[in-house]
Amino acid sequence: VCSNETVNGLELHRLLPHLDCGVPLVVDASSDFTSKPIAWRKSNVGLLFACASKNIGHPGITMVVVRRDLLGKANPFTPGVFNYETNILADNVWNTIPTFNVDVVGIMMEWIMEEGGMASMERRSIVKADLMYNTIDGSDGFFSTPVKKESGYRSRMNAPFCVAGGDET
């Protein structure tokens, strides 16, 4: 599941509760990672990935969180860079890592913790989104967005909008 779809401005503010299908949830959190708490167990998240350039650092690094019980089950033809057990057994240096990028992510993680962690980041996201959507909704039609407030899925990270109904004349 993509927790925040950026093109159409749709976001799952909370992941779906555990589905009794026996399959772990894989989450692409590239555009909303560190913007809200994640219900790891309640939603049966098995793997979460996020590219760093959106919220936690410099382009060229991807954050991956994988549940331990899923390790050691890779297909034998899986390239080493995609076999998370290979990376873990090599202390995450099986492949040459971009050290500057990793350092920037570390600095961002420290800052997030100093600012109050995920609860604080979510409050900031809500305030920012409210400012943005209140401007759009209160513009008497000058701005519009296809995602209706009542849907409950308006993205806190990005808002697609049109100016003057999309009329470019």
Side-chain angles (χ1 to χ4, degrees), residues 63-150:
M63 175 74 72
V64 178
V65 180
V66 62
R67 213 171 58 204
R68 290 177 198 233
D69 66 307
L70 298 177
L71 296 171
K73 299 178 181 182
N75 182 302
F77 297 107
T78 302
V81 72
F82 297 120
N83 184 336
Y84 301 119
E85 184 179 40
T86 299
N87 281 278
I88 290 169
L89 292 173
D91 292 326
N92 289 316
V93 291
W94 183 84
N95 192 28
T96 304
I97 59 172
T99 54
F100 173 77
N101 302 14
V102 171
D103 195 40
V104 170
V105 169
I107 291 167
M108 283 300 301
M109 293 297 138
E110 288 173 4
W111 178 81
I112 288 169
M113 293 305 295
E114 289 168 3
E115 293 295 313
M118 288 301 100
S120 175
M121 295 301 109
E122 183 172 42
R123 279 192 300 276
R124 289 170 184 236
S125 292
I126 291 168
V127 168
K128 173 194 62 152
D130 284 349
L131 287 169
M132 188 169 48
Y133 287 116
N134 288 341
T135 300
I136 293 169
D137 294 338
S139 71
D140 292 325
F142 184 76
F143 299 113
S144 64
T145 182
V147 186
K148 302 301 176 207
K149 185 176 188 174
E150 303 79 41

